Amino acid sequence: MVGLSVGEKNFIKGGIAQDLRNDGRKRLTYRPIYVETGVIPQANGSARVKLGETDVIASVKAELGKPRVSHPDQGKVYIYVECSPTAEPSFERRGGDELSTELSTALERSLLGGKSGAGAGINPASLLIKEGKVCWDLYVDCLVISSDGNLLDALGAAIKAALSNTGIPRVQVREAASSDEQADVDVSDEEFLQFDTSGVPVIVTLTKVGRHYIVDATSEEESLMSSAVSISVNRHGMICGLTKRGGAGLDPSVILDMISVAKHVSEQLLNKLDSEIEAAERANEGEP
C-alpha cells in the first residue's frame, strides 16, 4: 500500500493535469518495456517482462486433454497468477490471494472471450486435435516478482511473449476402432508447431486520476485513481475483452472515448512488444 502525504498527492495530480507525470512521461506514454523469452526451460514457452519496476514471468505448459462436452471442437486454456510476497508487503497472506484471483479472472476475461470462446484472443479452436476426443490444454502460469503498478498490462504482455515462445509437439491421431474408444495419439519429440499469436491482444489499462486518464500507472498513481478500465486489443484493432475496477461510475460516452484511446495506444504497444519479443528470440538463438 502506497502512503502519500496531501502535498505529494496534489503534486502527482497536478502533474497529470498538465500532462507531465512524476517520471517525465506524458499521460498516454508507457514506461520502457524489457522482454526475455525462454526463461523456464521445462515449459513449452515462457517469458519475463519488465515494465519499469514491475517485473512478471509467464510460462505455458501444453498437456493432452479431452474437449468439454459443451465445446467438442475446442481446446482449453487455464490462466493462474501468483503474487510473490516479496513483491509487495500487502501480498502476504490473504491480500496476495485476493489479488491473484482478481488478476487471473481479469486476464481470462481479457484474453479468452465469452463462455462460447467468441472474441477470444487465444483461439480455443486452434488447440483441437480430434473433435470430441483429444485437444491441447494450455496451462498459463504467471508470477508477479516485483510490483510498481499496471500489473494487468504487464501480465498480458508476458503471456503474449510466452505464447510467441511456445512450441507445441506435432500430434498424429490413429483412429479408434469405435466412436466410444479413446483416440490413440502419437506425440512427436522432435517436431514442434509454433503457436500462432497473431490474434493475441495486448491489454491497455486506462486509469482515471482526477479529471484525466493515464496509461501504465505506477503504484503511486494507482493509489489516487477513482476507476480503471482495461481493454484488450489485438493487431486487427478488435476488442477482445474489457474489465473495470474501482467504485466510481463512468459515463458510456467516456468509456467509448477510452476504447478509442486504447486502440490508438495499443498500436504503439504492440509494435514495441513485437520488436522486443523478436529481439529476445534472436538472442535465444545466438543471433546478433
Side-chain angles (χ1 to χ4, degrees):
M1 186 66 67
V2 178
L4 297 173
S5 67
V6 174
E8 287 171 323
K9 291 177 181 178
N10 289 334
F11 181 77
I12 293 171
K13 287 181 178 179
I16 290 172
Q18 295 176 41
D19 201 15
L20 182 62
R21 294 156 74 176
N22 269 13
D23 52 14
R25 289 183 291 149
K26 291 180 177 293
R27 287 193 288 262
L28 300 181
T29 304
Y30 272 80
R31 291 169 288 182
I33 187 168
Y34 165 82
V35 177
E36 183 182 0
T37 57
V39 294
I40 303 177
Q42 302 91 335
N44 290 88
S46 59
R48 181 175 188 173
V49 166
K50 294 180 182 179
L51 198 56
E53 294 301 314
T54 293
D55 189 354
V56 299
I57 288 177
S59 69
V60 180
K61 192 71 176 174
E63 295 183 3
L64 290 174
K66 187 174 182 179
R68 295 186 178 94
V69 175
S70 57
H71 298 98
D73 57 346
Q74 298 178 2
K76 304 188 288 292
V77 182
Y78 303 94
I79 300 176
Y80 178 73
V81 179
E82 181 180 349
C83 297
S84 170
T86 59
E88 171 73 38
S90 64
F91 290 174
E92 293 183 13
R93 302 188 181 90
R94 188 174 176 184
D97 292 339
E98 289 178 350
L99 182 59
S100 294
T101 301
E102 179 185 326
L103 288 169
S104 300
T105 302
L107 285 167
E108 287 176 354
R109 289 175 179 169
S110 299
L111 302 176
L112 303 184
K115 291 183 178 180
S116 66
I122 302 174
N123 182 10
S126 68
L127 302 173
L128 182 69
I129 298 172
K130 178 72 174 177
E131 184 167 346
K133 295 289 186 181
V134 191
C135 68
W136 284 111
D137 290 344
L138 288 191
Y139 294 88
V140 182
D141 293 302
C142 304
L143 174 65
V144 176
I145 300 171
S146 177
S147 173
D148 185 26
N150 203 25
L151 282 173
L152 194 61
D153 294 20
L155 288 165
I159 290 173
K160 184 175 175 68
L163 289 170
S164 298
N165 181 245
T166 296
I168 296 179
R170 185 181 292 276
V171 176
Q172 289 186 328
V173 181
R174 288 189 287 272
E175 291 295 332
S178 71
S179 59
D180 295 330
E181 289 184 22
Q182 181 67 36
D184 193 11
V185 296
D186 182 18
V187 181
S188 174
D189 293 327
E190 300 176 351
E191 290 187 79
F192 292 85
L193 304 174
Q194 202 66 26
F195 192 87
D196 180 14
T197 60
S198 60
V200 178
V202 289
I203 300 172
V204 176
T205 298
L206 291 162
T207 303
K208 196 165 189 293
V209 179
R211 296 174 60 186
H212 304 276
Y213 39 82
I214 58 176
V215 299
D216 191 21
T218 63
S219 293
E220 287 185 344
E221 291 169 335
E222 286 182 341
S223 71
L224 302 177
M225 77 172 196
S226 56
S227 60
V229 174
S230 299
I231 303 156
S232 54
V233 189
N234 68 13
R235 174 64 70 184
H236 313 295
M238 174 181 160
I239 305 298
C240 300
L242 188 149
T243 61
K244 178 188 173 295
R245 59 193 172 95
L250 290 171
D251 188 270
S253 63
V254 173
I255 292 179
L256 288 174
D257 184 49
M258 293 173 94
I259 290 173
S260 177
V261 171
K263 282 187 174 184
H264 172 70
V265 173
S266 70
E267 292 181 22
Q268 303 168 38
L269 180 58
L270 275 164
N271 290 336
K272 180 60 176 173
L273 182 58
D274 286 347
S275 175
E276 288 292 322
I277 292 171
E278 188 178 331
E281 291 291 273
R282 283 202 307 269
N284 281 345
E285 295 168 3
E287 296 180 17

